[in-house]
Amino acid sequence: DIQMTQSPSSLSASVGDRVTITCRASQSITSYLNWYQQKPGKAPKLLIYAASSLQSGAPSRFSGSGSGTDFTLTINSLQPEDFATYYCQQSFNTPRTFGPGTKVDVK
Amino acid sequence: EVQLVESGGGLVKPGGSLRLSCAASGFTFSTYSMNWVRQAPGMGLEWVSSISSSSSYIYYADSVKGRFTISRDNAKNSLYLQMSSLRAEDTAVYYCARPLSGYDNMDVWGKGTTVTVSS
């Protein structure tokens, strides 16, 4: 199975900050990497798919990059509604696996 | 409106069974594969199972293989998860989710249904 790791596990930031979250796969997944945002008590929301494609409706301040084993989610100019937990997920093969999540909270 | 609505969750004793349903609307259900994803209390997301549009391809997480069965009824626009031999560690919110493309990027999610396994 492909293992996904994320760093950091949590971070504190302020509105307007640039935030970077890293996701690493235990083997190459080419660009089969998706990013989700989840708020407490809510279902996850797709932000980025295929490593760098912005999902329709997702704000343009979110961007993704990377390929192979190393990926990054960047939030430019953090907004109040962005405080949430972010998960990466590989869709290269089954079982699909999610990273453990990165919680972004208020500094 | 594209929508997924899960139902069937509840409290069940260890070793018991439960059948979850997911009703789809607002899109051509029969043309999409579907996934079940769960989240234990305070924990991260765990992919559980997926089924192709025609039920030809079915996959399970090792943690549920042999105990859970995914199925679908395209005529009823419905997805199911039959869960048996339930364990305390199966306690979670169960979401059904629609992958948009070959990247299995799940763009539509239900609100989830809660399964609690406890004596």
Side-chain angles (χ1 to χ4, degrees), chain A residues 38-60:
Chain A
Q38 188 181 33
K39 297 180 179 179
K42 301 294 187 182
K45 176 184 174 184
L46 178 65
L47 293 175
I48 300 286
Y49 66 96
S52 60
S53 296
L54 186 69
Q55 170 64 11
S56 175
S60 58

Side-chain angles (χ1 to χ4, degrees), chain A residues 1 31-34 36 38 41-46 49-50 55 87 89 91 94-100, chain B residues 35 37 39 43-47 50 59-62 95 100-107 109-112:
Chain A
D1 297 0
S31 60
Y32 283 82
L33 192 284
N34 306 311
Y36 299 88
Q38 188 181 33
K42 301 294 187 182
K45 176 184 174 184
L46 178 65
Y49 66 96
Q55 170 64 11
Y87 296 93
Q89 176 231 350
S91 54
T94 55
R96 306 298 197 218
T97 41
F98 288 88
Chain B
N35 288 336
V37 176
Q39 186 169 36
M43 302 296 284
L45 301 168
E46 180 187 15
W47 171 84
S50 66
Y59 305 96
Y60 298 99
D62 286 346
Y95 297 101
L100 178 60
S101 73
Y103 283 95
D104 208 32
N105 41 323
M106 292 175 275
D107 70 325
W109 295 67
K111 292 184 177 181

Side-chain angles (χ1 to χ4, degrees), chain B residues 29-75:
Chain B
F29 179 74
S30 62
T31 64
Y32 288 86
S33 61
M34 293 295 295
N35 288 336
W36 286 100
V37 176
R38 69 183 181 182
Q39 186 169 36
M43 302 296 284
L45 301 168
E46 180 187 15
W47 171 84
V48 173
S49 182
S50 66
I51 185 169
S52 63
S53 58
S54 61
S55 304
S56 297
Y57 300 96
I58 287 175
Y59 305 96
Y60 298 99
D62 286 346
S63 57
V64 306
K65 200 173 294 182
R67 301 187 300 120
F68 289 12
T69 301
I70 190 172
S71 63
R72 64 190 297 160
D73 186 334
N74 287 341

